[in-house]
Amino acid sequence: MENLSITTFRDLLLVLAILLLGFLILFVKRNFGKRRWLGRIVKTTAVLAILFMLSVIVLFPDLVAVKSTGEYSYASCRLELTDESRMEEFKNDGSFRKLSLLVYYPNEISIQRNSCPLIVFSHGGISTNTSNLSLFQELASHGYVVVSIDHTYHALSTEIDAKKIYIDAEYLHEINTEDSHTDIENSYACFQKWMKLRRDDMNFIIDDMIQNSVKESNAFYSLIDAKRIGTAGHSLGGSAALGVARQRSDVQAVIALESPFLCDITGVNGTEFLWNQEPYSCAIMNIYSDSGYPLLAADHKYVQNKKYQYNDENVEYYYIEGSNHYSLTDLVRKSPLLSALLGGGYEKSGYASLELINQKSLCFFDKYLCR
């Protein structure tokens, strides 16, 4: 339904652009604009509208989805949950923290109750809970329940109580101006604040899923096996996923898509960060692109990543050469041009990168959550 609606929207834009172009040609030929100032306004407005419509079509070509390889059909739904243990820090009206969730799950009557591993996903710094749909669908087709969170006010946009909520301006300024090489104390403060919000969100969702997995009998909740839990995320979301795995003994595996171990930073010493050196009790997989892989040797935020740059026992890492930070997400499928503009270009096919991420993630979660 999602692809159909986007396609219909794009087709409508194309039709409108053609009709507007026809009007513009007729307007010029028939000299309807005898008042010169009015004619200029009409022509300028029409040209700008046509250019806008065509740019949307070019930027978002609506490429086909990555094909899922699992045996199960899957379904999805959206939920809104309220965490009554926390006040919304981005508002001053005494309201509780509310979150919007996107859930993908296998949709087969043959699947037994409480038999599906649970994966909770956190999106990147400026993104939404649809950032890695290909991965969610792939995992659901293999019998996983995947819950992707919109971190309210961290998400580019979300919908709560039928109202659009956009990214917080102060947070957006922080994430765009933070630079640990010029003001490491400010960066540390930002990391602590961002990670606490996201970890609290993820912990709330995991607890809610566990509690409802034994209560619900007619929803996806009943599929969840509370003894098999994994976390995952992209960029800042992967940092939070690692942080939650630090806190919880019931998280057995975590995947971080190009994410520094921000939750392992315990303080600052001069121009360097101090790190938690305790080993993780769960399995960890890091995936990097051309954007992030060089940072392991050059950026002090990635000191901990370098220590996990090996494949052995319960630690894995992969470097997708020719990809960029955004081609690790479905943005490369929805808008290859935008992915290239934001990420600095890429050589490896976006589809090939997404398929490789799906393959490695499935093998990893199968290994540690299905044994």
Side-chain angles (χ1 to χ4, degrees):
M1 288 299 294
E2 178 188 9
N3 286 338
L4 177 61
S5 62
I6 294 174
T7 301
T8 302
F9 176 70
R10 289 177 64 256
D11 289 345
L12 179 60
L13 281 182
L14 183 59
V15 171
L16 288 175
I18 293 172
L19 290 175
L20 195 53
L21 179 61
F23 164 78
L24 183 60
I25 294 172
L26 184 62
F27 182 86
V28 173
K29 283 186 175 181
R30 296 292 180 88
N31 195 26
F32 289 155
K34 293 183 179 179
R35 295 181 180 179
R36 292 184 179 179
W37 63 271
L38 180 59
R40 284 196 296 269
I41 291 176
V42 171
K43 286 185 283 187
T44 300
T45 302
V47 169
L48 290 176
I50 292 170
L51 290 175
F52 171 76
M53 293 176 191
L54 293 178
S55 67
V56 170
I57 294 170
V58 171
L59 279 174
F60 300 96
D62 184 32
L63 303 180
V64 297
V66 176
K67 187 176 180 180
S68 302
T69 64
E71 62 179 298
Y72 300 120
S73 61
Y74 54 81
S76 65
C77 66
R78 291 188 176 274
L79 299 178
E80 292 179 21
L81 297 183
T82 301
D83 184 354
E84 296 184 357
S85 69
R86 288 190 291 158
M87 308 304 291
E88 179 54 75
E89 62 186 65
F90 290 93
K91 299 172 71 175
N92 297 314
D93 59 359
S95 59
F96 295 121
R97 176 81 170 159
K98 293 184 178 181
L99 299 171
S100 176
L101 312 177
L102 175 61
V103 184
Y104 274 87
Y105 55 94
N107 189 28
E108 297 282 350
I109 59 174
S110 60
I111 298 178
Q112 295 182 356
R113 179 184 175 89
N114 301 133
S115 64
C116 298
L118 170 67
I119 307 298
V120 177
F121 188 93
S122 175
H123 61 72
I126 306 175
S127 188
T128 69
N129 61 17
T130 61
S131 66
N132 288 77
L133 287 178
S134 297
L135 177 60
F136 308 158
Q137 293 165 355
E138 173 69 1
L139 292 173
S141 77
H142 285 271
Y144 287 79
V145 174
V146 184
V147 180
S148 181
I149 307 171
D150 258 346
H151 295 285
T152 316
Y153 297 103
H154 275 204
L156 190 60
S157 70
T158 188
E159 188 170 305
I160 301 290
D161 297 331
K163 296 180 180 179
K164 276 283 188 181
I165 299 177
Y166 295 97
I167 193 168
D168 178 70
E170 182 178 345
Y171 163 72
L172 184 60
H173 176 73
E174 289 174 350
I175 203 167
N176 282 324
T177 59
E178 173 275 320
D179 184 353
S180 62
H181 298 283
T182 59
D183 189 347
I184 193 170
E185 294 285 354
N186 175 67
S187 293
Y188 177 61
C190 286
F191 298 161
Q192 292 287 299
K193 180 170 61 174
W194 300 341
M195 290 296 99
K196 184 180 187 310
L197 179 87
R198 287 173 176 249
R199 282 182 303 183
D200 287 350
D201 286 350
M202 295 182 76
N203 280 316
F204 165 64
I205 295 306
I206 293 172
D207 290 341
D208 180 85
M209 295 295 143
I210 291 174
Q211 292 168 10
N212 282 297
S213 68
V214 297
K215 296 178 181 178
E216 300 286 338
S217 60
N218 59 351
F220 71 87
Y221 288 110
S222 64
L223 299 175
I224 295 172
D225 181 352
K227 296 180 180 179
R228 295 190 289 166
I229 300 174
T231 59
H234 173 250
S235 194
L236 204 63
S239 299
L242 289 162
V244 170
R246 270 286 193 204
Q247 294 178 320
R248 304 183 66 107
S249 60
D250 54 359
V251 173
Q252 297 160 286
V254 54
I255 294 177
L257 302 175
E258 199 147 88
S259 310
F261 287 66
L262 297 183
C263 293
D264 280 357
I265 299 175
T266 59
V268 174
N269 182 18
T271 60
E272 299 299 327
F273 291 112
L274 300 174
W275 298 89
N276 180 355
Q277 302 295 345
E278 290 294 320
Y280 276 77
S281 61
C282 66
I284 296 173
M285 182 170 77
N286 293 289
I287 297 180
Y288 302 101
S289 75
D290 287 348
S291 304
Y293 191 67
L295 299 178
L296 273 64
D299 193 311
H300 59 188
K301 290 189 293 294
Y302 289 81
V303 168
Q304 194 84 318
N305 294 71
K306 190 171 178 63
K307 294 178 181 178
Y308 286 88
Q309 192 180 356
Y310 63 90
N311 290 297
D312 185 32
E313 296 181 354
N314 65 339
V315 175
E316 299 180 22
Y317 92 97
Y318 297 96
Y319 165 36
I320 306 179
E321 193 170 357
S323 63
N324 74 24
H325 189 64
Y326 296 98
S327 69
L328 301 184
T329 74
D330 275 52
L331 180 62
V332 74
R333 176 180 65 82
K334 296 179 179 178
S335 179
L337 179 58
L338 193 56
S339 180
L341 290 173
L342 293 175
Y346 58 91
E347 297 177 359
K348 189 177 183 68
S349 161
Y351 278 86
S353 294
L354 293 176
E355 288 173 348
L356 182 59
I357 290 170
N358 286 358
Q359 175 194 351
K360 296 300 183 184
S361 298
L362 178 65
C363 289
F364 177 77
F365 280 138
D366 278 352
K367 180 177 180 181
Y368 294 102
L369 299 183
C370 298
R371 56 186 177 182

